[in-house]
């Protein structure tokens, strides 16, 4: 009979084999990273031979700040004849003298986080006594969500979607305005060593209970809350839409999430600065690092309706001038996030994409947080389902009401622009770099009976109402507004007027241009004109205004754009037309050239090239470069002013930390423009062979 305690001498967690099987090989942290509900193997070599009759093993996995077996944060794993899904258990696969191979499986509802592992051994002596020994493994094990497991709430059955929203480390985020898109490549970098640490540190900061960390609904909600930095809480990012960023890094300078998370963990205070798309991108990184399928979503012309009850309002004086300080905000674009998981807390039919918004806009239940809300519920107008479906619905639906304000402050509504809000809702298509329009996931078709019914239901649930318009009698002049920026940066706007009546019409027209931020908040007046036009019966006329690039580009903040205000009043009939529009100039292209192949053992060079397509010089240019598992370079200054038509070329040297096919992401900004970005792929080998 074998005597004595059974003591582990070597514990081999088969790290490489298990990480490959669990799709976690890319994580830079050296620990074993496992997806819950999936088996893994380990080999324990004891100091003496293992005896099946007298020796037994119990594994213990411990996680959380207050580990308790009653809370599921202390798990005893016992032997079964055959390892099976559904609960923690292990199978004794083989015994070869001192080496014992175990096949261990966790529950698909396991708490997500960092675990300590203990091995308790028991040896039955000849007289019935039991000798015990406890071994603590020196390395922590990380268990995350599993989109490959049907029993996990985050299960995603489409392999292309799974590859994109869980494993792909770079992506695209759409900025700009309706019809004039600006694409920002982004390095999510969820496998960089800092990202998983940051995800778990922020869950600790959120004070989400240990037991709740097995629930993707609660995890998304908790992380959404701690990403933004407000006076109430010190989160990851400080929001800033002022155009003034001298005491921090401008939002448009970031290329990826890991740099932001690294600075946050280093200083433990809010990183300066971010805007909606950086908030959403950082959230995507944190949730992908935990294994939750997540993507960024851009809504063009997104409203900010804090009480969900009113359309967006624009105000005009009786002498045809905009009252900009009174206006509600329609953001040129707004970016939020979506995560994929089941919603057992809702009635059947609301699984799938769940929208959340980490940008600090409104305080809900004492904190700045929004979501997750079922996208299916938002589309149906079923706004009584949590969380914050009303707010997310209002961001993508709404009209703009134009009000006439007299000298006493009395207001009269005179025009409603329907379907202004929530246009071209976009995300990156899985497996390509193309834009995928997902507006139909949020909204019914414009003008359809389904849309009318949904809006009616939503209005009833959130008390939204459109005011009764002032009826002026005949409206026999047709107005059409057009505005765009030419490639050189010049802005041209035109209001066309067609008189359909048999009488002449006298029309007072105002056109104005101001610089404004993507939140719709105006900054600086740029140019305006007022004129009176006489249109003969059944004829057409127009009023035009041009704004030269040189006349405005240096009079605005780098990340502001041109907003146009238009109002026209027909004297004879008091018919009024009013609209607002946003014009983004077309940005130059940033070309990124790589060597195509390199290895982790040697530095490599990339070439950045930009040609100035504007009619003005670009001054104080800066390049920023990074990629997943690749050295980061920020603040590479352009050596010269780039004149119109001139080229600027910079060569930078980088080094990779890990192999694979990675995308290098770069951006350029200067005094005049920002959001100029480019990307290129690079094959990096681990063995030093190019």
């Amino acid at each position: 009979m074998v005597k004595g305690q059974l003591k582990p001498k070597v514990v081999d967690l088969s790290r490489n084999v298990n990480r490959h099987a669990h799709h976690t090989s890319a994580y830079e942290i050296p620990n074993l990273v496992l997806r819950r509900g999936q088996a893994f193997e380990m080999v324990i070599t004891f100091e003496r031979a293992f005896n099946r009759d007298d020796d037994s093993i119990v594994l213990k996995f411990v996680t959380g700040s207050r580990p308790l077996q009653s809370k599921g944060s202390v798990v005893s794993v016992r032997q079964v004849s055959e390892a099976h899904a559904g609960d923690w258990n292990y199978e004794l696969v083989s015994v070869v003298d001192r080496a014992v191979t175990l096949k261990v499986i966790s529950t698909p509802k396991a708490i997500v986080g960092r675990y300590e592992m203990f091995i308790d051994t028991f040896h039955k002596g000849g007289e019935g006594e039991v000798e015990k020994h406890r071994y603590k493994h020196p390395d922590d094990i990380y268990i995350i969500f599993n989109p490959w497991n049907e029993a996990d709430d985050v299960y995603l059955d489409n392999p292309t979607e799974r590859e994109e929203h869980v494993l792909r480390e770079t992506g695209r985020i759409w900025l700009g305005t309706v019809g004039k898109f600006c694409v920002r490549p982004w390095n999510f970098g969820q496998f960089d060593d800092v990202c998983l640490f940051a995800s778990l540190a922020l869950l600790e900061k959120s004070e989400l209970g240990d037991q709740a960390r097995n629930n993707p609904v609660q995890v998304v909600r908790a992380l959404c809350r701690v990403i933004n930095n407000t006076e109430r809480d010190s989160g990851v990012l400080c929001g800033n839409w002022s155009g003034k960023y001298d005491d921090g890094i401008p939002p448009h300078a970031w290329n990826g999430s890991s740099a932001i998370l690294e600075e946050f963990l280093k200083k433990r205070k809010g990183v300066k600065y971010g805007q909606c798309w950086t908030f959403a991108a950082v959230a995507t990184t944190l949730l992908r690092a935990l294994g939750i399928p997540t993507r960024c979503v851009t809504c063009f012309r997104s409203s900010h309706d804090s009480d969900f009850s009113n359309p967006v309002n624009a105000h005009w004086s009786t002498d045809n001038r905009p009252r900009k300080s009174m206006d509600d905000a329609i953001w040129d674009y707004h970016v939020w996030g979506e995560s994929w998981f089941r919603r057992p807390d809702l009635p059947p039919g609301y699984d799938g994409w769940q929208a959340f918004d980490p940008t600090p806009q409104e305080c809900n239940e004492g904190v700045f947080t929004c979501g997750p809300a079922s996208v299916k519920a938002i589309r149906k107008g079923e706004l009584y389902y949590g969380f914050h479906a009303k707010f997310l619905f209002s961001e993508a639906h709404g009209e703009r009401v134009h009000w006439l304000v007299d000298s006493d402050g009395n207001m009269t509504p005179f025009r409603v622009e329907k379907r202004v809000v929530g246009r071209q809702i976009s995300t990156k298509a899985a497996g390509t770099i193309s834009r995928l329009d997902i507006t139909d996931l949020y909204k019914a078709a414009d003008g359809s009976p389904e849309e009318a019914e949904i809006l009616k239901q939503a209005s009833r649930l959130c008390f939204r109402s459109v005011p009764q318009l002032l009826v002026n009698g005949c409206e026999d002049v047709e107005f059409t507004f057009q505005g765009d920026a030419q490639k050189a940066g010049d802005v041209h706007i035109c209001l066309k007027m067609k008189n359909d009546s048999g009488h002449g019409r006298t029309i007072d027209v105002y056109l104005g241009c101001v610089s404004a931020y993507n939140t719709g908040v105006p900054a600086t007046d740029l140019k305006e004109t007022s004129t009176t036009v006489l249109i003969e019966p059944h004829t057409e006329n127009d009023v035009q205004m041009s704004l030269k690039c040189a006349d405005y580009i240096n009079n605005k903040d780098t990340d502001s754009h041109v907003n146009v205000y238009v109002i026209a009043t027909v004297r004879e009939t008091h018919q009024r037309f009013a609209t607002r529009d946003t014009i983004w100039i077309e940005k130059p292209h940033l070309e990124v050239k790589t060597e195509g192949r390199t290895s982790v053992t040697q530095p490599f060079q990339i070439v950045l090239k930009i040609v100035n397509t504007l009619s003005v010089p670009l001054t104080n240019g800066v390049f920023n470069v990074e990629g997943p598992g690749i050295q980061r370079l920020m603040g590479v200054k352009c050596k010269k002013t780039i004149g119109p038509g001139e080229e600027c070329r910079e060569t930078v040297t980088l080094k990779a930390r890990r192999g694979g096919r990675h995308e290098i992401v770069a951006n350029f900004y200067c005094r005049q423009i920002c959001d100029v970005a480019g990307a290129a792929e690079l094959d990096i080998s681990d063995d030093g062979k190019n």
Side-chain angles (χ1 to χ4, degrees):
M1 176 181 289
V2 177
K3 294 184 178 181
Q5 291 179 319
L6 183 66
K7 296 181 179 180
K9 183 177 182 181
V10 177
V11 177
D12 181 4
L13 295 179
S14 303
R15 174 185 176 276
N16 292 338
V17 172
N18 285 321
R19 282 174 53 130
H20 177 76
H22 285 246
H23 308 278
T24 60
S25 296
Y27 282 90
E28 289 184 353
I29 64 172
N31 306 65
L32 179 60
V33 182
L34 301 170
R35 298 191 186 273
R36 64 185 191 174
Q38 183 172 337
F40 66 97
E41 289 197 355
M42 56 187 292
V43 180
I44 307 173
T45 302
F46 293 101
E47 292 182 352
R48 64 166 174 80
F50 180 85
N51 184 286
R52 290 176 180 266
D53 296 326
D54 299 325
D55 296 326
S56 61
I57 302 168
V58 174
L59 305 177
K60 279 197 173 178
F61 293 87
V62 179
T63 188
S65 55
R66 294 183 60 198
L68 293 170
Q69 193 162 351
S70 60
K71 297 291 187 182
S73 49
V74 176
V75 183
S76 291
V77 184
R78 300 182 181 276
Q79 182 181 349
V80 295
S81 58
E82 183 177 351
H84 57 270
D87 202 358
W88 288 88
N89 55 84
Y90 81 83
E91 174 188 345
L92 201 157
V93 176
S94 67
V95 177
V96 181
D97 193 23
R98 300 181 180 186
V100 177
T101 300
L102 307 181
K103 180 181 179 181
V104 187
I105 191 165
S106 63
T107 171
K109 303 294 184 183
I111 293 170
V112 165
R114 177 179 59 85
Y115 282 77
E116 296 177 304
M117 186 181 74
F118 298 86
I119 301 174
D120 291 343
T121 60
F122 304 87
H123 172 70
K124 290 186 291 185
E127 297 181 2
E129 75 278 5
V130 177
E131 297 184 74
K132 303 176 184 178
H133 179 76
R134 167 164 286 187
Y135 167 89
K136 181 182 184 297
H137 195 270
D139 299 327
D140 294 329
I141 294 173
Y142 292 84
I143 296 180
I144 61 176
F145 292 99
N146 192 353
W148 283 264
N149 189 319
E150 291 186 36
D152 196 314
D153 283 339
V154 304
Y155 173 65
L156 181 56
D157 62 350
N158 186 311
T160 304
E161 297 276 346
R162 208 164 46 213
E163 172 76 23
E164 181 69 46
H165 306 308
V166 181
L167 299 180
R168 191 172 298 280
E169 294 184 79
T170 56
R172 299 294 185 272
I173 302 174
W174 271 261
L175 314 180
T177 188
V178 173
K180 180 85 75 167
F181 303 131
C182 171
V183 182
R184 283 298 304 263
W186 189 262
N187 174 29
F188 295 112
Q190 65 266 30
F191 302 129
D192 286 1
D193 54 6
V194 69
C195 295
L196 184 55
F197 290 145
S199 298
L200 298 177
L202 286 165
L203 280 180
E204 289 292 328
K205 182 178 177 58
S206 75
E207 299 182 354
L208 182 67
D210 295 340
Q211 197 170 10
R213 298 181 195 187
N214 72 344
N215 183 343
V217 177
Q218 296 299 331
V219 168
V220 169
R221 186 159 172 74
L223 287 179
C224 184
R225 184 170 67 246
V226 295
I227 287 170
N228 56 73
N229 184 291
T230 66
E231 293 179 358
R232 292 175 171 82
D233 194 13
S234 177
V236 175
L237 265 173
C238 299
N240 188 340
W241 288 264
S242 70
K244 306 295 186 288
Y245 315 112
D246 292 342
D247 61 337
I249 295 175
H252 49 260
W254 300 109
N255 270 324
S257 305
S258 54
I260 295 169
L261 294 170
E262 189 175 288
E263 184 172 340
F264 172 75
L265 289 181
K266 188 184 301 180
K267 298 181 178 179
R268 293 291 173 166
K269 63 179 183 180
V271 177
K272 299 179 178 180
Y273 286 104
Q275 291 180 356
C276 63
W277 52 284
T278 42
F279 285 108
V282 169
T284 298
T285 295
L286 294 170
L287 293 168
R288 285 187 185 180
L290 292 175
I292 301 176
T294 306
R295 64 188 185 183
C296 291
V297 171
T298 302
C299 176
F300 292 98
R301 291 192 192 149
S302 176
S303 72
H304 181 180
D305 181 13
S306 59
D307 60 4
F308 334 115
S309 61
N310 291 308
V312 179
N313 297 306
H315 303 84
W316 306 85
S317 65
T318 52
D319 60 348
N320 277 12
R321 291 292 187 278
R323 301 289 295 270
K324 297 187 285 286
S325 62
M326 295 182 175
D327 290 351
D328 293 333
I330 293 183
W331 293 26
D332 299 341
Y333 64 86
H334 182 51
V335 184
W336 59 73
E338 286 181 354
S339 289
W340 178 279
F341 46 84
R342 289 192 282 265
R343 291 298 298 268
D345 57 321
L346 299 181
Y350 296 94
D351 299 339
W353 290 114
Q354 312 292 321
F356 63 90
D357 191 347
T359 301
Q361 294 187 89
E362 289 300 319
C363 187
N364 291 294
E365 299 171 5
V367 293
F368 284 90
T369 186
C370 183
S374 167
V375 173
K376 293 176 181 177
I378 295 169
R379 191 191 187 282
K380 294 177 181 179
E382 295 175 341
L383 309 185
Y384 35 77
Y385 290 133
F387 297 92
H388 313 122
K390 285 183 179 180
F391 188 88
L392 287 155
F393 182 90
S394 72
E395 288 188 305
H397 296 77
E399 308 89 354
R400 179 159 52 199
V401 178
H402 295 269
W403 296 77
L404 198 64
V405 185
D406 67 20
S407 57
D408 295 325
N410 299 311
M411 299 184 186
T412 305
F414 66 89
R415 183 172 190 240
V416 175
E417 289 183 276
K418 293 187 176 181
R419 305 184 184 93
V420 171
V421 172
R423 313 313 297 171
Q424 295 172 317
I425 301 175
S426 306
T427 190
K428 180 182 178 294
T432 78
I433 60 172
S434 302
R435 183 182 73 91
L436 176 65
D437 194 305
I438 58 170
T439 308
D440 62 333
L441 297 185
Y442 282 85
K443 308 176 70 169
D446 289 348
S448 65
E450 183 186 11
E451 181 198 41
E453 184 59 33
I454 289 170
L455 292 176
K456 181 179 178 181
Q457 173 173 278
S459 297
R460 184 172 63 252
L461 293 171
C462 60
F463 307 103
R464 173 175 285 190
S465 61
V466 177
Q468 188 71 34
L469 294 185
L470 173 67
V471 179
N472 288 317
C474 79
E475 295 191 351
D476 48 24
V477 178
E478 180 182 336
F479 294 93
T480 305
F481 171 75
Q482 296 175 337
D484 201 3
Q486 299 172 353
K487 193 170 185 179
D490 297 344
V491 174
H492 183 75
I493 59 178
C494 175
L495 179 64
K496 293 184 177 181
M497 297 162 285
K498 180 182 177 184
N499 182 5
D500 292 326
S501 76
H503 304 280
R505 292 290 181 248
T506 306
I507 306 175
D508 297 316
V509 178
Y510 169 88
L511 304 178
C513 292
V514 304
S515 69
Y517 306 109
N518 72 281
T519 56
V521 175
T524 307
D525 292 333
L526 299 175
K527 188 176 182 179
E528 63 180 9
T529 184
S530 295
T531 187
T532 299
V533 180
L534 178 63
I535 308 181
E536 298 297 331
H538 304 294
T539 61
E540 299 180 17
N541 205 337
D542 61 48
V543 177
Q544 302 185 34
M545 187 174 77
S546 294
L547 184 62
K548 294 292 184 183
C549 185
D551 293 338
Y552 76 89
I553 198 77
N554 290 304
N555 297 326
K556 69 176 189 64
D557 291 320
T558 301
D559 57 349
S560 63
H561 313 287
V562 176
N563 269 13
V564 178
Y565 292 77
V566 180
I567 186 169
T569 304
V570 182
R571 291 184 182 178
E572 291 81 4
T573 64
H574 302 292
Q575 177 187 351
R576 284 186 172 86
F577 170 85
T579 191
R580 285 180 52 181
D581 201 6
T582 302
I583 297 177
W584 277 49
I585 63 174
E586 189 172 331
K587 309 292 177 66
H589 173 66
L590 177 59
E591 186 177 351
V592 182
K593 290 186 176 181
T594 72
E595 299 173 358
R597 293 185 63 83
T598 188
S599 74
V600 295
T601 60
Q602 63 183 41
F604 62 92
Q605 290 186 328
I606 67 167
V607 178
L608 307 170
K609 187 180 81 170
I610 183 173
V611 176
N612 181 9
T613 56
L614 301 181
S615 58
V616 297
L618 303 181
T619 59
N620 302 323
V622 177
F623 295 97
N624 300 293
V625 190
E626 68 176 84
I630 294 171
Q631 175 189 359
R632 184 184 311 117
L633 289 180
M634 295 192 71
V636 179
K637 294 183 179 179
C638 189
K639 297 182 178 66
K640 64 173 186 175
T641 295
I642 313 171
E646 289 185 355
E647 173 188 296
C648 177
R649 187 186 295 257
E650 292 288 338
T651 301
V652 298
T653 302
L654 302 172
K655 197 170 188 307
R657 298 190 301 273
R658 51 187 166 92
R661 186 169 181 82
H662 297 303
E663 195 171 38
I664 308 292
V665 176
N667 73 53
F668 169 87
Y669 68 94
C670 62
R671 168 63 188 84
Q672 291 73 28
I673 56 174
C674 62
D675 295 322
V676 178
E681 290 191 326
L682 182 69
D683 285 316
I684 303 170
S685 61
D686 282 312
D687 57 7
K689 297 179 182 179
N690 288 345

